[in-house]
């Protein structure tokens, strides 16, 4: 009796690859698909009906790992989750929320056949979960862009391009010394993917434009104004600021408005948040729900066996001009 192992040997691939080709659970190159199809035809392989049914069993559930770590803005996280849930429901999928922040929870959900696929948020630049995800039998999508994830699909907002755009906007307004007041220290210390990319884009644009740029971790809440005051005292020529900290934005804007410093502020935040803050020179919208929807759609494409780009980044756009 011909087995799936025989097909794998004849095609020169792993047993799991043969299974993926037959079930469409993962994107496989056309060349590999052709080899497997030829081996199946040559060996006249026909899997038992019950085994085929088991292999194609679907839960219609997506596992979403959304750990609420220190320093994370819950409002933005929930907007991304809302985008995921809305898109998933339109595709007839439910969401299983995984609040752990390690690979064990992901592995358990996949190996216990609790989910058809996994979505992972709060990704670090060098994320320890990648190796586990690549070894699981269910497809995964990361909301983030870490190093070493070539085998996984990554979806996110293009934070590096946003950092560049903000620096360019401030330089166009005539500023020669600018600063990024970004995520809290714990987020930067974890090397969260979006924070690292934002810093990289901001500083590289400063170098290219001949502008002096600096980056500062910023706490959320009213205490953020103390950090701004300390930086202004240390850098008296500073005249342009990029703020990417939703919890600090309103406090910093209000503080600057009543101070003796003449500063232009650019905010990187969801569009509706920027509309509640006065005194901005401009803002760049983070399409939080759009990120979630794009990630869910990427999973849909993988589950349908469609060929898709490995990296999907939503582009930044200057959203509004302040008074």
């Amino acid at each position: 009796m011909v087995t799936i192992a025989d097909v794998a040997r004849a095609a020169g691939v792993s047993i799991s690859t043969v299974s993926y080709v037959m079930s469409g659970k993962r994107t496989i190159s056309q060349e590999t698909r052709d080899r497997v199809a030829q081996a199946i035809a040559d060996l006249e392989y026909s899997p038992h009906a019950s085994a085929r049914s088991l292999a194609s069993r679907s839960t219609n559930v997506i596992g979403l790992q959304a750990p609420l770590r220190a320093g994370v803005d819950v409002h933005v996280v929930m907007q991304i989750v809302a985008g995921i849930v809305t898109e998933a429901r339109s595709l007839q999928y439910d969401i299983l929320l995984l609040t752990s922040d390690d690979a064990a929870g992901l592995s358990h959900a996949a190996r216990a056949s609790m989910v058809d696929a996994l979505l992972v948020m709060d990704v670090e630049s060098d994320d320890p979960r990648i190796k586990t995800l690549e070894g699981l039998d269910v497809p995964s999508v990361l909301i983030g862009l870490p190093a070493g994830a070539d085998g996984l699909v990554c979806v996110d907002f293009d934070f590096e391009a946003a950092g560049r755009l903000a620096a360019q906007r401030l330089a166009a307004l005539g500023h020669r010394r600018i600063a990024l007041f970004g995520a809290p220290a714990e987020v930067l210390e974890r090397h969260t993917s979006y924070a690292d990319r934002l810093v990289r884009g901001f500083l590289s644009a400063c170098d290219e434009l001949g502008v002096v740029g600096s980056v500062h971790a910023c706490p959320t809440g009213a205490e953020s104004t103390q950090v701004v005051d300390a930086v202004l005292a240390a850098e008296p020529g500073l005249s342009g600021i990029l703020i990417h900290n939703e919890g600090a934005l309103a406090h910093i804007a209000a503080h600057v408005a009543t101070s003796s410093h003449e500063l232009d502020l650019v905010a990187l935040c969801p569009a509706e948040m920027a509309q509640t803050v006065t005194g901005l020179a401009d803002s760049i919208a983070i399409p939080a729900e759009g990120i979630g929807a794009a990630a869910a759609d990427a999973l849909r494409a993988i589950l349908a066996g469609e060929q898709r780009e490995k990296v999907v980044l939503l582009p930044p756009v200057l959203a509004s001009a302040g008074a």
Side-chain angles (χ1 to χ4, degrees):
M1 177 180 174
V2 178
T3 67
I4 193 172
D6 297 323
V7 174
R9 278 193 296 272
V13 298
S14 67
I15 293 174
S16 60
T17 297
V18 176
S19 177
Y20 294 146
V21 169
M22 292 190 298
S23 67
K25 286 288 187 180
R26 283 196 180 179
T27 301
I28 304 295
S29 72
Q30 189 59 50
E31 187 270 337
T32 300
R33 286 178 176 275
D34 291 343
R35 292 211 320 270
V36 172
Q38 188 62 53
I40 289 173
D42 291 345
L43 297 172
E44 298 182 349
Y45 174 65
S46 178
H48 190 274
S50 62
R52 183 165 60 248
S53 174
L54 181 61
S56 62
R57 182 178 58 193
S58 174
T59 66
N60 282 93
V61 175
I62 293 172
L64 170 62
Q65 188 175 59
L68 298 180
R69 293 164 164 166
V72 172
D73 187 273
V74 176
H75 173 75
V76 176
V77 170
M78 289 300 103
Q79 283 190 317
I80 296 174
V81 170
I84 293 169
V85 171
T86 301
E87 183 69 14
R89 288 309 306 145
S90 73
L91 302 170
Q92 305 301 310
Y93 274 89
D94 287 316
I95 297 295
L96 174 65
L97 182 61
L98 308 172
T99 57
S100 62
D101 63 356
D102 57 20
L106 296 169
S107 181
H108 173 69
R111 299 189 191 285
S113 299
M114 299 165 64
V115 298
D116 291 342
L118 291 165
L119 268 171
V120 181
M121 296 178 62
D122 199 41
V123 174
E124 299 168 8
S125 294
D126 185 15
D127 201 294
R129 294 170 291 184
I130 291 172
K131 184 175 180 180
T132 296
L133 288 170
E134 290 179 333
L136 297 177
D137 288 336
V138 300
S140 304
V141 168
L142 304 177
I143 298 181
L145 189 59
D150 297 339
L152 300 172
V153 172
C154 299
V155 176
D156 205 353
F157 176 66
D158 195 340
F159 282 93
E160 184 166 350
R164 296 179 62 85
L165 181 59
Q168 291 165 354
R169 176 60 175 145
L170 289 169
L173 290 172
H175 302 291
R176 310 311 300 165
R177 182 181 289 272
I178 62 179
L180 162 59
F181 290 91
E186 52 265 42
V187 174
L188 295 178
E189 289 166 1
R190 287 199 303 268
H191 290 285
T192 304
S193 170
Y194 72 80
D196 279 0
R197 287 182 283 129
L198 178 65
V199 169
R200 184 163 61 244
F202 180 79
L203 293 179
S204 65
C206 288
D207 288 342
E208 293 167 9
L209 295 164
V211 172
V212 177
S214 59
V215 176
H216 310 277
C218 190
T220 58
E223 60 268 34
S224 58
T225 60
Q226 300 172 19
V227 175
V228 174
D229 285 342
V231 172
L232 289 172
E235 302 182 35
L238 179 64
S239 59
I241 290 176
L242 167 62
I243 306 171
H244 177 227
N245 187 314
E246 289 80 4
L249 175 57
H251 297 283
I252 293 176
H255 182 66
V256 167
T258 59
S259 74
S260 60
H261 298 281
E262 293 187 4
L263 297 168
D264 276 333
L265 307 183
V266 172
L268 175 60
C269 62
E272 70 277 6
M273 186 173 293
Q275 292 168 3
T276 67
V277 179
T278 59
L280 297 178
D282 245 321
S283 66
I284 300 172
I286 298 177
E289 288 195 25
I291 296 169
D297 184 64
L299 264 185
R300 175 206 60 77
I302 296 172
L303 290 168
E306 297 176 9
Q307 295 285 344
R308 293 289 294 266
E309 296 290 332
K310 286 292 187 182
V311 176
V312 178
L313 296 177
L314 280 62
V317 177
L318 286 169
S320 64

